[in-house]
Amino acid sequence: MGAGRLITWSPSVTLVPSRGCFNHCGYCSFRVPLDQARPLELSQALELLQRRPEAREVLLLSGEVAPASPERPEWLRRLLALSRLALAQGRLPHTNAGPLALAEMAALARLNPSMGLMLEGLGPAYGPLHRQAPSKRLGVRLGQLEQAGRLGLPFTTGLLLGVGESQADRRRGLECLAALQRRWGHLQEVILQPWRPDGEQGRPLDAQERRDLLATIALARRLLPPEVHLQMPPNLWPLAALPEALEAGIDDLGGIDSADVINPAYPQPSPQQLAALLEPQGWRLRPRLCVHRRWWPWLPPALQRRVQRLAHQLEGACASAADHAC
Ligand code: SF4
C-alpha cells in the first residue's frame, strides 16, 4: 500500500531540434546521420506546442553536433530560439542535448529552469556500445554534471540499465551521482531507465529483469540523498506492476507526452490510466513543473516568477479537474 505517498509527473511535450548526431551509440534507434538530418523549424515547433496546450514542460531532446563543428553555432542558436519560443508560449523549456561548453550551458540556463544529461552507466558493458560515441566517455559526462553543479543549475541525470552491466557497475554509477549531489546539491532527479529493444523487437520487461531493476531502485534510494527524486518512465515498466517500482523507491514518473520519441514501441499510459491504477492503492498522483519546488530558489528572478505563475496555474487546473491526475 502506498500510504498516501506522493508520486509526481510532468505534463510534457517533446520537441526534437534535430535527430542528426555525430555519436553512434550501439543501442540508439533515434539518430540519423548529420547530413540527413532535417532541423525542426520554429513554425513546426509552434504547431506541436499548440497541439499540446496542457503541457507545461517542453523537453528539447536533440542529437549532438561535435564540439568543434562549424555547424555547432547554428545548432546552439536553434536550441536557444526553441527555448525562447517555449517561454513565449507560456511553457518551460528543459534541454537535453548532450555535453555543452560552459558558455553554451550558461546561455541555456538563463532560459531553462532545469536541464538534463544522462550519466548512462559505468562498466565494461558500455565500452563497445559507446566506442563510436566520444561524448559518452565517463569523464565527459562527469565533467558536465560538475559544470552544471558549479552553475547552480537544477539538473536531471540518470542511468541506462540492462545493457549487460553488473549490479556492482550500477552501484558505482549511483555512488558517483551521490558524491556529486553531496558536493553540489543540484541533482533533482535520477532516471533509472531500463534499456528496451525498439521496433518489432519491443517486449515488456520479464520477471528477472524486473527483479534486478527493483534491487537497483532500492539501492539507489539507499545511496542517493533523500532530496533526489527517483524517476521511472512508466511506459517502460508493465503498467499493472508499476506499484512494485514505487514501493521500491520510485517517486516520479517524469515527463509524459502523448508518445515516447526514444522508445516509440512503448506507448505512454495516460495520466488518467495512472491515476485509476495508483490512487485506489493509496498513492497520490500530482503533476509538477520540470523543476521541482525545492530548487525554485536557485533560479534567476525572471525564471522564478514564471515558474511560480505556472505552478499556480497547474494547481488551479488540478483543483478544478474531476480527477487528481489532471
Ligand atoms: S548521443 Fe543520443 S542521439 Fe546520439 S547516437 Fe547516442 S543515444 Fe543516439
Side-chain angles (χ1 to χ4, degrees), residues 18-32 62-64 98 120 130 132-133 135-136 141 262:
S18 172
R19 284 182 186 253
C21 189
F22 83 113
N23 286 321
H24 209 136
C25 301
Y27 45 78
C28 181
S29 51
F30 172 89
R31 80 178 283 278
V32 299
S62 185
E64 301 177 26
E120 302 290 19
H130 289 157
Q132 296 180 68
S135 86
K136 294 284 172 93
R141 311 306 269 189
I262 300 285

Side-chain angles (χ1 to χ4, degrees), residues 47 91 102 112 138 167 186 193 197 209 229 280:
E47 206 182 309
R91 323 294 179 92
L102 178 62
N112 285 246
L138 183 61
Q167 286 290 0
H186 64 316
Q193 168 118 5
E209 289 168 327
H229 296 277

Side-chain angles (χ1 to χ4, degrees), residues 72-181:
R72 182 114 181 154
E74 177 53 31
W75 174 84
L76 180 67
R77 269 195 293 278
R78 192 173 302 276
L79 290 174
L80 291 166
L82 289 167
S83 298
R84 282 191 206 97
L85 177 70
L87 292 172
Q89 291 296 306
R91 323 294 179 92
L92 298 173
H94 173 100
T95 296
N96 183 333
L100 298 162
L102 178 62
E104 294 172 340
M105 190 182 272
L108 281 161
R110 284 192 280 279
L111 305 170
N112 285 246
S114 59
M115 292 172 60
L117 182 86
M118 297 287 278
L119 179 66
E120 302 290 19
L122 278 73
Y126 294 91
L129 297 170
H130 289 157
R131 191 164 292 134
Q132 296 180 68
S135 86
K136 294 284 172 93
R137 287 189 199 118
L138 183 61
V140 174
R141 311 306 269 189
L142 291 175
Q144 283 288 298
L145 296 176
E146 288 271 349
Q147 178 173 283
R150 276 199 304 280
L151 286 174
L153 176 51
F155 215 72
T156 297
T157 187
L159 301 178
L160 180 66
L161 302 167
V163 302
E165 76 287 351
S166 66
Q167 286 290 0
D169 296 331
R170 293 179 181 185
R171 171 183 278 273
R172 284 194 303 129
L174 290 166
E175 285 170 347
C176 282
L177 296 179
L180 278 161
Q181 180 65 1

